[in-house]
Amino acid sequence: QIQLVESGGGSVQAGGSLRLSCAASGYSASRSCISWFRQAPGKEHEGVATADSDGTLRYSDSVKGRFTISQANAKKTLYLQMNNLTPEETGMYYCAVRVELITCRATMSPRDYQFWGKGTKVTVSS
């Protein structure tokens, strides 16, 4: 049973920083992708940063240079360091896992992910 639990959300002012965590259990890191998504109020899920099963990291253009995704504890913990946040980045942040048969190359499409956490809320005020 794959379980994902996000934490670290909160309220910050524009230009501030937050570090999100995702505790992942029950999944095989060698054949899974694990990624961060976000959902602004009234909008669809948006891919933010991804990690392939081989450790390759990718970012959406909107966060490149400001956000950093990292893994620890044998890839059982996923982090998202977010710097220079803007009010438009307010929303729920989720980690998600996509399981493949052998190896996994991550995508930014939420439809490709089978397992999701419940999310952590980020509020950025102007």
Side-chain angles (χ1 to χ4, degrees):
Q1 185 79 5
I2 294 175
Q3 292 189 327
L4 304 168
V5 180
E6 303 93 337
S7 61
S11 297
V12 295
Q13 290 191 328
S17 299
L18 282 174
R19 188 194 196 201
L20 306 183
S21 300
C22 173
S25 61
Y27 88 110
S28 171
S30 64
R31 58 188 184 95
S32 300
C33 302
I34 185 166
S35 303
W36 286 102
F37 289 82
R38 64 187 177 191
Q39 186 176 28
K43 295 190 176 181
E44 296 185 351
H45 286 87
E46 173 192 10
V48 175
T50 67
D52 291 359
S53 57
D54 67 358
T56 301
L57 307 176
R58 297 185 179 82
Y59 300 90
S60 68
D61 288 342
S62 62
V63 307
K64 204 172 293 184
R66 298 186 297 119
F67 289 15
T68 303
I69 185 174
S70 60
Q71 295 177 284
N73 301 325
K75 299 185 179 181
K76 299 303 184 184
T77 304
L78 184 72
Y79 297 105
L80 185 68
Q81 176 67 42
M82 306 186 296
N83 299 327
N84 196 19
L85 285 159
T86 68
E88 292 72 29
E89 295 178 306
T90 291
M92 290 295 292
Y93 283 69
Y94 303 88
C95 66
V97 163
R98 171 184 172 185
V99 180
E100 294 287 358
L101 290 177
I102 303 175
T103 59
C104 182
R105 187 178 191 277
T107 71
M108 292 284 184
S109 174
R111 296 184 184 84
D112 293 339
Y113 291 76
Q114 302 103 326
F115 302 94
W116 292 77
K118 294 183 178 181
T120 186
K121 187 174 182 180
V122 172
T123 302
V124 186
S125 58
S126 57

